[in-house]
Amino acid sequence: MTITANRENEKLTLAVSGRVDTISAPELEKAIMENTDGVTELVLDLADMPYTSSAGLRVLLKAQKLMNTKGSMKLIHVGEDVMEILDMTGFAEIMDIE
Amino acid sequence: MMKKRLHFKRNMRSTLIGAMVILLLVFSLIVSNIGYVTFSNSLEREYSRYTLNIAKTGETLIKADHIDTYLKTGGAGAEYELSKHRMDILCKKMDVNVLYIIKPSADFLSYTSVMNCVNENKVNYTPWEVGHEEQSGEDYIEIYKDMYAGKIDNAKVLRTKNLNGAPPHITTLLALKGEDGAIKGIFCVQTPMEELVRGRVSYLTYIAISMFITALFVSITAAMYLTKQIVNPITTIKDEAKRFAVQNTQAEEQTLENLSRIEEIVSLADSIQVMESDTLKYIDNLTAATSERERIGTELGIAAQIQTGLVPSFSRGFPERTDLALCASMTPAKEVGGDFYDYYMLDDDHVALVMADVSGKGIPAALFMMVTKILIKENAKISGHTPAQVLEFVNNRIVANNPADMFVTVWLGFLELSTGKLIAANAGHDDPAIYRKGGSFEICKSRHGLVIGAMDGVPYKNFEITLNKGDKFFLYTDGLPEATDANETLLTLDGMLELLNAGKDKTPEELLRSISEGVDRFVGDAPQFDDLTMLCLELKETGSAKKLEVEATGDNLEKVMAFVDSVLEENDCSPKSQMQIDLAVEEIYVNIANYAYGDDTGTAEISVSVEAGELTIVFKDSGTPYNPLKKEDPDTSLSAEERQIGGLGIFLVKKNMDDVAYEYNNGQNIMTIKKKL
């Protein structure tokens, strides 16, 4: 899994490429936690993420809670299968998804 | 609490004191009344006597015989003058209102004044001249009559009304008799009432005040006495009783000792103390008995847990194998039962089947059951042993260590999966039922050896049958045919066969469930009398299950995923299903890797098989018993802040898979997931 970061002043876009599972989730978490100083808008581009397990969901939840205190977070280009998971777990209700 | 206490004390005291004061008042009222009346009467009498004496004195100053003469002469003559003069002096000296002599008329309706002395210092009447006539007062007529009739000598009349301007007064009358004893006239003395009235009023006032003071004094004294002697001790007793009722503990200070010298109060205090100590003793005994019972209950609970670990109440055997389907269940009548089943692979092609029934129920049976189970297994695993040999060995072992003279019936069989050949031996157990494909369940009879544990050196014999693909084999204990309803009717073997045949086309798992339900329906409200134990096996088409064994660490996740994915690809699994299955596999495997072995490591075994389009994956580990399905589903309606981090994984597994099951058997956590591809 690779993560590409794009910082525009207070807006940070992270493009996730590959599967997010128990092994790779910590990497994603690290990327989010370490790069959000001064960020008020976090965008996660999940176009290339075909799969996430509950480990990935945990990271998303942590990120959402963090950004709730700093500004906002949104998920974009969410694939159909991943969207189904987000619906099932109720994450779709608490996250901004485009 | 304080407020209430004061209120109560006031009540008891105020009731007593109130009652006392009222009684004292009534008493003093009565007494004053009596005193007043007595005094009044005596005062009146004294008054009358006094006035009568004046009249008697006056009587001596006039010659009664000459009254008629005086009337005729109009009071002329020195004799009359002298009498009048003396009479005047008497009147003034005696301090009376009027002294007068009259003579009533013949009909007494009027009278004539003979002599009339008025005391100007007291009243200002106009003195009557001699011969003055007056109407007789009503009260007087009777008196005149009686006097003239000789009935009375003197009389007294009180005048408080109809005074005609005169103040209230008393008139005393005295009959004046002549020498011959006949009455000639009447002597009247009139004295004012004021003295009498004043005397009485002052007496009344004096009495009232002294009564009041006395009553006050007495009631205060009585109040103090009652309070000290009765109210306080009783209140102390009541307080202690109340405290005890609430606290149920020994009193810190012995407030009930030496409370009073009154017998009843002392007796009451003693009784309360006795009751308290008895109650405390009773509470202690009850607490001890209850905690003993709880301890036994806890231990029984633990025993039940241990037993469930060794003999699960519902068990699916070898879910990863496709060449057989096996299901077993045990429902104990009490917390712990004496029946057991067992099954295990002796090698890759042979499975051992055990069904047994220990005499008795409860903990003793359970202990015996466990020993037997272990002995059988250990001996069965020794290669080359036949069921009969195993039973002989186990029997001798048990007979040697059977102080309670218990026994157990056992049915033991070894099934060769590749050929369907079943070798079995029977130690006094119920004959199993067999279903041939296309037919019906029938009892499969064979020779019965003696029950295990009765006698040593007992021989057992093997018998053989062959199972074909699609056949079913059913083992049970007598709790099933002997299931009893409320009318004490037994299910019987026929009833059991009926239930079996009603579900003969079901899978072993479905069959056991439907038999369970059938028995429940049959038994109805009657309590379960015996343990209910069954095992059903179906020999199926040979399938293949792929198995992977890895060290349960996170690093091996990729290997596990690749393993599963390869099977999925072989079976043309859709990408979406594959993702869902991958998710499930990752969740379950990562759980095992992280938690099953704590700080140590161990192995995890993953078996994958596909049969009739249905995927079955079985995860086994020998770590800490843990049922991931017990975790509550996360509340998906909570906000981001409220959401908990955990529980998501297994939630997704449950949602995405068609069937998820957990079992702990023979020291292994077994997690089975199924999904239609």
Side-chain angles (χ1 to χ4, degrees):
Chain A
M1 182 202 71
T2 50
I3 307 169
T4 321
N6 192 347
R7 181 75 182 257
E8 263 175 53
N9 301 322
E10 285 116 26
K11 177 169 163 180
L12 171 66
T13 309
L14 294 176
V16 180
S17 185
R19 292 159 69 103
V20 176
D21 57 22
T22 314
I23 312 282
S24 54
E27 247 183 83
L28 177 60
E29 186 178 336
K30 195 165 154 197
I32 293 176
M33 294 300 152
E34 284 182 357
N35 289 308
T36 43
D37 272 344
V39 172
T40 59
E41 195 187 335
L42 173 66
V43 177
L44 297 175
D45 189 341
L46 305 180
D48 283 332
M49 187 186 83
Y51 168 94
T52 180
S53 67
S54 68
L57 292 176
R58 262 173 242 127
V59 173
L60 288 178
L61 185 60
K62 253 181 138 172
Q64 180 70 55
K65 288 194 187 191
L66 173 68
M67 290 318 292
N68 278 352
T69 64
K70 292 160 82 112
S72 70
M73 177 178 103
K74 73 176 177 216
L75 311 176
I76 59 172
H77 305 141
V78 178
E80 206 185 294
D81 297 333
V82 174
M83 191 63 212
E84 206 179 300
I85 296 181
L86 294 175
D87 274 331
M88 208 186 284
T89 53
F91 273 39
E93 301 294 315
I94 57 173
M95 291 186 183
D96 201 359
I97 301 172
E98 280 172 20
Chain B
M1 264 330 248
M2 270 304 279
K3 255 200 169 158
K4 264 200 165 174
R5 183 150 52 110
L6 283 173
H7 183 71
F8 170 83
K9 254 209 284 218
R10 238 195 11 244
N11 250 349
M12 178 157 73
R13 204 200 305 167
S14 58
T15 309
L16 284 174
I17 292 170
M20 230 175 17
V21 166
I22 290 174
L23 281 172
L24 275 171
L25 275 174
V26 169
F27 171 76
S28 51
L29 269 167
I30 293 176
V31 166
S32 335
N33 211 37
I34 295 174
Y36 173 75
V37 166
T38 315
F39 172 77
S40 195
N41 285 348
S42 128
L43 192 65
E44 266 178 33
R45 269 202 309 279
E46 203 48 43
Y47 230 37
S48 303
R49 210 161 57 87
Y50 168 73
T51 48
L52 191 60
N53 284 343
I54 297 176
K56 288 198 176 148
T57 311
E59 190 187 21
T60 61
L61 298 175
I62 182 166
K63 287 201 166 72
D65 288 316
H66 294 175
I67 287 180
D68 288 330
T69 317
Y70 295 149
L71 280 174
K72 269 201 211 109
T73 60
E79 198 187 78
Y80 183 84
E81 289 290 338
L82 187 57
S83 282
K84 175 107 184 6
H85 178 69
R86 285 183 175 149
M87 213 61 84
D88 277 325
I89 294 176
L90 184 65
C91 181
K92 284 207 176 68
K93 289 273 189 218
M94 288 298 123
D95 208 27
V96 296
N97 282 359
V98 195
L99 283 183
Y100 56 101
I101 302 167
I102 56 163
K103 178 172 170 141
S105 59
D107 59 4
F108 307 112
L109 293 176
S110 63
Y111 59 87
T112 318
S113 174
V114 176
M115 191 179 289
N116 195 284
C117 309
V118 175
N119 187 345
E120 293 115 16
N121 300 334
K122 306 282 291 187
V123 290
N124 54 0
Y125 301 153
T126 326
W128 295 332
E129 332 92 45
V130 184
H132 174 91
E133 275 190 32
E134 279 282 333
Q135 292 281 18
S136 303
E138 263 182 61
D139 351 1
Y140 290 93
I141 298 178
E142 275 305 308
I143 296 174
Y144 302 155
K145 256 201 214 148
D146 288 338
M147 278 187 176
Y148 271 80
K151 286 194 189 153
I152 51 170
D153 271 344
N154 61 73
K156 180 175 76 219
V157 174
L158 274 77
R159 263 288 161 80
T160 49
K161 299 189 260 235
N162 282 342
L163 300 164
N164 297 330
H169 55 262
I170 298 185
T171 309
T172 306
L173 301 95
L174 180 67
L176 292 170
K177 300 210 176 113
E179 301 268 310
D180 53 357
I183 179 170
K184 303 290 182 212
I186 300 182
F187 192 98
C188 304
V189 180
Q190 189 195 88
T191 45
M193 279 264 282
E194 279 141 23
E195 323 265 308
L196 186 63
V197 167
R198 225 178 306 139
R200 294 209 286 212
V201 166
S202 71
Y203 174 77
L204 202 56
T205 315
Y206 178 71
I207 272 226
I209 292 175
S210 50
M211 270 294 173
F212 177 74
I213 293 175
T214 314
L216 199 66
F217 179 72
V218 169
S219 49
I220 290 176
T221 316
M224 284 166 54
Y225 179 79
L226 276 176
T227 304
K228 179 150 180 273
Q229 293 297 325
I230 300 195
V231 171
N232 281 348
I234 292 190
T235 307
T236 308
I237 294 178
K238 163 227 146 216
D239 283 340
E240 169 56 22
K242 203 163 173 187
R243 177 208 72 82
F244 185 76
V246 166
Q247 293 178 358
N248 287 142
T249 56
Q250 190 76 284
E252 275 158 28
E253 315 139 13
Q254 288 306 314
T255 53
L256 293 191
E257 294 291 320
N258 299 321
L259 207 53
S260 162
R261 277 180 299 217
I262 299 175
E263 193 193 308
E264 285 85 348
I265 293 184
V266 169
S267 167
L268 182 63
D270 284 344
S271 301
I272 298 268
Q273 283 185 303
V274 166
M275 282 199 287
E276 279 188 19
S277 71
D278 281 351
T279 304
L280 287 171
K281 243 183 268 166
Y282 178 66
I283 290 176
D284 281 339
N285 288 347
L286 195 62
T287 310
T290 306
S291 59
E292 181 65 21
R293 211 148 37 103
E294 275 171 21
R295 184 186 67 76
I296 292 177
T298 310
E299 294 193 355
L300 208 59
I302 295 175
Q305 263 185 314
I306 295 175
Q307 184 170 60
T308 311
L310 287 173
V311 185
S313 58
F314 197 86
S315 176
R316 292 176 205 79
F318 318 112
E320 71 280 7
R321 294 188 79 103
T322 52
D323 47 359
L324 82 158
L326 187 152
C327 197
S329 77
M330 201 272 271
T331 318
K334 287 194 184 179
E335 289 91 341
V336 282
D339 281 4
F340 71 91
Y341 63 83
D342 206 0
Y343 59 83
Y344 31 86
M345 300 304 291
L346 295 168
D347 56 48
D348 202 50
D349 194 31
H350 291 87
V351 62
L353 304 169
V354 190
M355 184 58 71
D357 184 354
V358 177
S359 59
K361 291 177 282 297
I363 291 195
L367 293 172
F368 197 75
M369 174 271 274
M370 287 182 207
V371 167
T372 312
K373 181 174 188 276
I374 294 168
L375 279 175
I376 293 175
K377 185 165 184 178
E378 291 314 297
N379 200 268
K381 287 206 154 154
I382 299 173
S383 77
H385 278 192
T386 65
Q389 283 172 304
V390 174
L391 290 184
E392 276 166 17
F393 171 84
V394 171
N395 178 54
N396 292 334
R397 265 289 189 251
I398 286 187
V399 166
N401 293 300
N402 195 3
D405 280 329
M406 298 183 83
F407 63 83
V408 53
T409 66
V410 180
W411 189 100
L412 175 64
F414 298 164
L415 174 62
E416 192 172 51
L417 291 165
S418 51
T419 59
K421 221 164 35 160
L422 174 62
I423 304 180
N426 185 325
H429 196 78
D430 306 67
D431 288 315
I434 181 168
Y435 163 80
R436 298 284 185 193
K437 186 166 169 187
S440 322
F441 272 100
E442 280 166 8
I443 302 294
C444 173
K445 289 208 205 296
S446 69
R447 267 188 70 178
H448 286 206
L450 188 61
V451 300
I452 303 265
M455 226 161 63
D456 75 343
V458 166
Y460 293 95
K461 260 203 148 60
N462 291 312
F463 83 99
E464 268 187 45
I465 61 169
T466 306
L467 291 179
N468 302 314
K469 304 246 191 310
D471 289 351
K472 294 196 177 85
F473 202 71
F474 182 75
L475 292 165
Y476 57 95
T477 61
D478 59 9
L480 180 49
E482 286 173 16
T484 315
D485 71 5
N487 296 325
E488 311 213 333
T489 317
L490 299 178
L491 180 64
T492 71
L493 271 178
D494 286 330
M496 181 187 90
L497 284 172
E498 244 181 77
L499 285 176
L500 278 168
N501 283 320
K504 63 186 180 186
D505 292 322
K506 299 191 186 211
T507 65
E509 180 175 338
E510 288 165 4
L511 183 61
L512 286 196
R513 289 206 202 277
S514 77
I515 297 200
S516 233
E517 281 162 27
V519 171
D520 277 343
R521 267 198 312 272
F522 175 82
V523 165
D525 287 329
Q528 184 184 345
F529 181 67
D530 201 354
D531 305 330
L532 200 60
T533 313
M534 334 179 242
L535 185 150
C536 183
L537 174 146
E538 181 183 354
L539 206 54
K540 299 167 79 168
E541 303 300 327
T542 320
S544 61
K546 294 221 169 85
K547 211 173 7 171
L548 174 71
E549 213 176 279
V550 291
E551 206 182 317
T553 62
D555 300 332
N556 281 323
L557 174 63
E558 272 188 58
K559 199 169 167 189
V560 171
M561 297 291 255
F563 169 67
V564 172
D565 284 340
S566 69
V567 176
L568 294 179
E569 270 152 29
E570 272 175 31
N571 286 280
D572 293 322
C573 179
S574 73
K576 177 168 169 174
S577 293
Q578 178 161 347
M579 193 200 78
Q580 290 175 330
I581 293 165
D582 279 352
L583 217 153
V585 169
E586 179 178 332
E587 292 312 328
I588 298 172
Y589 177 75
V590 167
N591 244 0
I592 296 173
N594 287 342
Y595 302 121
Y597 295 103
D599 291 330
D600 297 321
T601 52
T603 50
E605 185 192 287
I606 300 108
S607 320
V608 186
S609 60
V610 179
E611 191 197 348
E614 193 185 46
L615 169 80
T616 305
I617 308 183
V618 181
F619 299 80
K620 285 190 189 169
D621 72 83
S622 312
T624 327
Y626 173 67
N627 183 356
L629 299 181
K630 279 222 189 120
K631 201 155 182 138
E632 264 176 44
D633 289 342
D635 186 346
T636 56
S637 65
L638 294 178
S639 71
E641 299 314 313
E642 295 165 335
R643 283 301 288 268
Q644 301 298 321
I645 300 281
L648 279 171
I650 206 68
F651 173 68
L652 287 169
V653 173
K654 285 195 239 183
K655 283 274 181 194
N656 283 327
M657 296 293 115
D658 293 338
D659 189 68
V660 183
Y662 168 84
E663 191 183 319
Y664 187 77
N665 197 357
N666 279 323
Q668 288 192 306
N669 290 295
I670 303 168
M671 189 75 169
T672 308
I673 56 176
K674 291 190 206 266
K675 189 174 176 72
K676 279 222 161 12
L677 295 177

